[in-house]
Amino acid sequence: MYTRILKYLLYVLFALVFLPRAHGQPFRVDARLDTNQIQIGDQIHLQLNLTQPGDARVEIPSWQDRLGTQLEVIKTFPPDTMGDQGDQSITITRKLLITSFDTGKVEIPPVPFFYQGRQGVDSVLTPPMDLYVQTVQVDTTRDVFGIKGPFGAPLSWAEIWPWAAGLVALGLLVWALIYLLRRRKRKDMVLEPRKTSEPAHVYALRELDRLKEDRLWQNDQVKAYYTRLSEILRTYLWMRYGIKTLERTTDEIMTSLSDTELAQQEAYDMLLGNLRFADLVKFARMQPSTTENEGALQQAYDFVHATKYVGEQEPAAKEGGDEKGDAGEEQEPNEQDNNKQEPKEGPRGNLSR
Amino acid sequence: MNQSVNVKELNEHIRNESSFVDMINMEMNKVIVGQKHLVESLLVGLLSDGHILLEGVPGLAKTLAISTLSGIVDARFNRIQFTPDLLPADLLGTMIYSQQKEQFMVKKGPIFTNFVLADEINRSPAKVQSALLEAMQERQITIGEDTFKLDQPFLVLATQNPIEQEGTYPLPEAQVDRFMLKVVIDYPQQEEEKLIVRQNLAKEFPTASQVVKPDDIIRARGIVKEVYIDEKIEQYILDIVFATRYPENYGLDHLQGMINYGGSPRASINLAIASKAYAFIKRRGYVIPEDVRAVCHDVLRHRIGLSYEAEAENMTGEDIITEILNTIEVP
């Protein structure tokens, strides 16, 4: 209280000693409240009006978040200026949204407006006002209720955008996953030439040569001979067409190939006969004749030659290093010899499926 | 060509002996529209002496299929509707007092037949399920002091509804393992259903003729056991079953946390027997990988215990089996 009185005295002293009046027209200030009686926490407007000469320079006070010790400034509105053409004066209106959380009589302190007078800086003060803040009446006769939850504040864009961005990112991630999965599935279904370190037919022909050199069936290892033969063909199909053949049965392999151009060729029937014949030997204890053993190998050679990739963009051949050595027609082992041989009758078993 | 005499002869033998399969198929197809897989599974179960758990919504011709089959085989058929208040005695039979003879007499229950349709088996409590499953396993029933052998062929076809799980008693894993196959039936195709509707509107229901005797089935079972199964196929079967137990050993590390328990040795046995029966149905004297893959889902789907993690990821036993089949190398 003494501080406040001292502050007023200082204002008055300052005005009397250092700020002599400069203008003939008086400066008028007044302050108005929406109401002088509120309930605790209610928000009301405080309107400050300053009437001054049009050419006077006035410093309009600014507020942070408090006005005096008991009042809180919630919002400060921009100043509004209104001119009067008759006496060249203007009225500046400043509006504040205030509240108080103290109960009882709350004093709104005088607000000073400083202006430049003829003899220096002068000021004018708004009159002090009283605001009566009432507490909420509690009806003790009624039930006691729990504490009310906080009121939801309206959402701002700043709060929403991180979530929105997250949702969009998640959506994109899900889309990308679905896309990749579909692509992978499609890849599994669609036959495409597969990139390998060497062309598929080079690998197959080399392995068939090795099989021939190992002389398995001549040494009573017929089952092992047909197992390797079918493995070479299945691996060739895997490398050549990119379909999973090692994990599929003969019927499934043939079904996978039935949608390709291969199905229209004689090679398709050749392959089917060869794989089925190998199955008979592997799973039905079939003992093929010498002619059938040789015929099965020759049929495998013929199949590889008939279906090898001859396009310009043979990816494996380009990656294979020495193209002549790896993929050249003349360089392929046994190829010329094989081509000279008469096509033999394909393996046909007595056991049919 | 020098062909192994045994397999060649067996193949010829099976060709001759399995001709009745085509007749059964033909008669079944006269009555059952579509549901080819169901008919095939019934035959596999019938020929390999294994019981079948059928899962499908009502109205998919489960009862009709088994009653038709019993008619074709000239066998007796009983349908038992499992309810929460069913008692073991209602199923197996009990001792009743005969005033005329002044002693307790055995009153046999509906299980004393050739084909049993245990409808909605999971609606009855565990004691009734156990009574049935023990009969399935032992193929004999003891009432009082008397033990009765069940007639051959004896085939139990139990059904359960995949929806409406409220108020049911799910079969424990150990009990489910006793079913050789668990067959999941789906709705018929549109064209098939159109035919079904037309038949019902016209009230013209074809009837199947009796073409096989129970003795033929029993003899065929003996022949099915002779179907040749190569060591490579045996290894393939073991690889599949072991992959359900130790997926990490087969490059399926991601399935490790998905499986609580894999297929039991009974799974390997049943997979081999069912593959033989399937080869027989296809009129072959030897098993090929296609046979194993054809019956693999039906044999294994109820023998794989899924973890919570798998359920959280909406993974089914079906998915796991498919993934295993797509990974294990075919011989």
Side-chain angles (χ1 to χ4, degrees):
Chain A
M1 191 65 182
Y2 289 115
T3 316
R4 208 181 299 153
I5 293 167
L6 197 65
K7 209 193 278 179
Y8 296 154
L9 286 173
L10 275 173
Y11 285 143
V12 174
L13 204 65
F14 184 82
L16 288 173
V17 178
F18 298 104
L19 305 174
R21 289 171 177 264
H23 290 272
Q25 291 167 324
F27 282 82
R28 290 195 310 276
V29 289
D30 74 297
R32 258 182 277 166
L33 280 169
D34 290 347
T35 173
N36 67 345
Q37 195 172 333
I38 60 168
Q39 284 206 325
I40 185 164
D42 275 356
Q43 298 174 2
I44 51 166
H45 290 104
L46 169 65
Q47 187 174 314
L48 305 169
N49 298 319
L50 166 69
T51 304
Q52 61 164 84
D55 56 347
R57 291 173 60 193
V58 176
E59 189 184 334
I60 297 167
S62 61
W63 297 269
Q64 294 300 318
D65 55 352
R66 296 196 76 84
L67 183 64
T69 54
Q70 292 176 293
L71 288 166
E72 290 186 21
V73 178
I74 296 165
K75 190 175 179 184
T76 310
F77 295 92
D80 187 17
T81 308
M82 203 164 58
D84 186 344
Q85 296 300 322
D87 59 356
Q88 300 294 315
S89 66
I90 57 170
T91 302
I92 298 170
T93 303
R94 198 71 204 269
K95 222 173 182 183
L96 309 175
L97 187 65
I98 58 170
T99 187
S100 176
F101 293 99
D102 288 337
T103 52
K105 184 180 162 189
V106 175
E107 189 181 9
I108 299 174
V111 180
F113 286 82
F114 297 98
Y115 61 90
Q116 184 66 50
R118 282 178 192 160
Q119 296 172 356
V121 179
D122 203 347
S123 74
V124 58
L125 299 169
T126 61
M129 287 188 294
D130 291 333
L131 177 66
Y132 296 93
V133 182
Q134 294 176 342
T135 186
V136 179
Q137 294 298 317
V138 179
D139 187 354
T140 53
T141 59
R142 298 177 68 183
D143 288 341
V144 177
F145 295 98
I147 298 168
K148 264 196 170 181
F151 284 105
L155 281 175
S156 65
W157 176 241
E159 287 171 310
I160 293 169
W161 83 262
W163 291 97
L167 275 174
V168 170
L170 191 70
L172 281 172
L173 193 70
V174 169
W175 177 82
L177 272 174
I178 292 169
Y179 174 77
L180 284 174
L181 284 173
R182 281 190 179 166
R183 197 177 158 196
R184 194 174 158 187
K185 198 174 173 185
R186 204 164 52 238
K187 260 190 173 180
D188 192 40
M189 300 304 292
V190 176
L191 307 182
E192 290 171 0
R194 182 183 170 82
K195 287 185 181 179
T196 53
S197 59
E198 64 177 351
H201 67 276
V202 173
Y203 160 82
L205 293 173
R206 189 180 66 237
E207 289 300 312
L208 288 172
D209 288 342
R210 279 184 55 204
L211 179 64
K212 193 176 182 183
E213 286 163 12
D214 288 347
R215 300 174 62 80
L216 290 175
W217 65 265
Q218 291 91 335
N219 293 312
D220 289 335
Q221 294 180 338
V222 182
K223 212 167 164 179
Y225 173 72
Y226 279 92
T227 302
R228 262 184 63 185
L229 183 62
S230 66
E231 274 179 8
I232 292 167
L233 283 176
R234 284 155 71 190
T235 309
Y236 167 72
L237 291 170
W238 171 59
M239 292 169 72
R240 169 71 177 81
Y241 295 107
I243 56 168
K244 291 172 82 177
T245 47
L246 297 175
E247 299 84 3
R248 291 182 182 178
T249 63
T250 300
D251 284 351
E252 288 168 346
I253 291 169
M254 299 317 292
T255 307
S256 302
L257 292 168
S258 63
D259 293 335
T260 66
E261 74 278 4
L262 182 62
Q264 311 301 324
Q265 298 171 14
E266 283 180 24
Y268 184 84
D269 295 330
M270 202 189 288
L271 175 71
L272 179 64
N274 202 305
L275 290 178
R276 286 204 166 157
F277 189 77
D279 281 352
L280 286 175
V281 179
K282 285 190 290 180
F283 308 128
R285 274 184 169 176
M286 185 178 160
Q287 294 294 326
S289 65
T290 304
T291 316
E292 285 169 329
N293 289 335
E294 288 172 347
L297 184 68
Q298 183 54 43
Q299 208 173 42
Y301 273 120
D302 293 345
F303 175 75
V304 175
H305 283 302
T307 58
K308 69 181 176 185
Y309 198 86
V310 289
E312 288 177 4
Q313 294 179 343
E314 169 61 293
K318 285 177 182 173
E319 290 168 13
D322 186 358
E323 287 183 30
K324 280 184 182 175
D326 287 337
E329 193 84 5
E330 294 80 8
Q331 301 292 326
E332 284 173 357
N334 292 341
E335 186 159 337
Q336 286 180 327
D337 293 342
N338 293 331
N339 288 338
K340 284 175 190 170
Q341 290 173 13
E342 287 295 317
K344 293 175 182 173
E345 190 184 348
R348 291 287 181 272
N350 287 340
L351 302 176
S352 63
R353 282 158 53 186
Chain B
M1 190 181 80
N2 300 318
Q3 190 178 329
S4 175
V5 178
N6 286 342
V7 177
K8 186 184 175 185
E9 279 185 357
L10 178 65
N11 210 51
E12 287 300 318
H13 183 48
I14 283 171
R15 267 173 186 276
N16 296 330
E17 290 291 332
S18 61
S19 56
F20 73 88
V21 171
D22 289 344
M23 289 159 68
I24 291 179
N25 266 325
M26 202 169 67
E27 291 300 319
M28 289 288 281
N29 290 336
K30 272 176 24 185
V31 181
I32 310 290
V33 181
Q35 303 295 8
K36 196 179 166 194
H37 181 63
L38 170 65
V39 175
E40 255 179 16
S41 302
L42 280 176
L43 284 173
V44 168
L46 187 65
L47 292 169
S48 48
D49 202 10
H51 307 290
I52 302 170
L53 179 62
L54 269 178
E55 195 172 273
V57 293
L60 295 182
K62 298 187 286 280
T63 312
L64 183 64
I66 194 164
S67 64
T68 306
L69 184 65
S70 63
I72 292 168
V73 183
D74 193 21
R76 284 173 297 126
F77 161 68
N78 276 338
R79 172 183 172 165
I80 308 162
Q81 187 66 44
F82 278 55
T83 53
D85 59 348
L86 194 75
L87 294 170
D90 299 332
L91 188 71
L92 308 177
T94 187
M95 303 285 284
I96 57 166
Y97 185 73
S98 168
Q99 285 186 334
Q100 193 182 0
K101 294 181 179 175
E102 295 184 341
Q103 62 180 18
F104 280 95
M105 304 283 290
V106 172
K107 172 74 178 168
K108 289 181 178 176
I111 201 167
F112 287 89
T113 186
N114 295 115
F115 296 115
V116 181
L117 176 64
D119 220 354
E120 299 200 83
I121 190 172
N122 55 344
R123 296 262 170 224
S124 280
K127 59 186 175 185
V128 185
Q129 292 173 359
S130 296
L132 175 71
L133 295 166
E134 274 177 40
M136 284 162 55
Q137 185 73 18
E138 308 299 330
R139 290 167 201 280
Q140 63 179 28
I141 287 162
T142 302
I143 303 170
E145 293 176 352
D146 300 316
T147 300
F148 302 93
K149 286 267 179 201
L150 289 168
D151 290 343
Q152 290 295 326
F154 177 64
L155 176 70
V156 173
L157 191 87
T159 72
Q160 61 180 20
N161 197 332
I163 52 174
E164 294 175 12
Q165 295 300 315
E166 205 171 330
T168 60
Y169 302 86
L171 291 167
E173 283 78 9
Q175 306 276 38
V176 175
D177 198 34
R178 295 186 188 183
F179 285 98
M180 183 185 202
L181 308 174
K182 180 180 176 184
V183 182
V184 176
I185 316 172
D186 208 350
Y187 291 108
Q189 301 292 316
Q190 213 169 46
E191 282 303 312
E192 293 166 353
E193 196 152 330
K194 191 192 281 179
L195 192 57
I196 294 167
V197 171
R198 281 181 184 168
Q199 281 183 356
N200 276 269
L201 290 176
K203 299 281 181 193
E204 288 172 0
F205 301 107
T207 51
S209 313
Q210 181 253 311
V211 291
V212 190
K213 292 277 183 193
D215 288 345
D216 296 330
I217 299 296
I218 293 164
R219 197 175 62 250
R221 282 179 180 178
I223 299 167
V224 166
K225 284 178 188 165
E226 291 173 22
V227 170
Y228 175 68
I229 183 162
D230 194 80
E231 199 186 335
K232 280 177 180 294
I233 300 288
E234 285 175 351
Q235 189 56 50
Y236 183 50
I237 288 171
L238 290 178
D239 281 342
I240 291 169
V241 175
F242 269 69
T244 64
R245 298 178 204 165
Y246 315 110
E248 68 278 8
N249 294 350
Y250 295 85
L252 293 161
D253 295 10
H254 62 287
L255 293 184
Q256 201 176 355
M258 306 284 179
I259 303 171
N260 271 349
Y261 57 88
S264 64
R266 205 181 263 151
S268 308
I269 296 164
N270 283 328
L271 192 50
I273 295 172
S275 302
K276 282 184 168 195
Y278 192 82
F280 182 87
I281 290 170
K282 296 295 170 189
R283 307 187 69 181
R284 249 186 290 105
Y286 53 94
V287 178
I288 55 172
E290 275 89 343
D291 301 328
V292 180
R293 290 167 81 96
V295 296
C296 191
H297 282 87
D298 289 348
V299 174
L300 290 182
R301 67 163 60 93
H302 55 299
R303 294 186 160 96
I304 295 174
L306 297 177
S307 65
Y308 287 118
E309 196 181 337
E311 283 172 13
E313 292 192 15
N314 279 336
M315 190 171 247
T316 61
E318 208 86 5
D319 300 330
I320 287 173
I321 297 164
T322 304
E323 197 154 347
I324 287 171
L325 287 179
N326 287 337
T327 306
I328 303 287
E329 216 167 280
V330 174

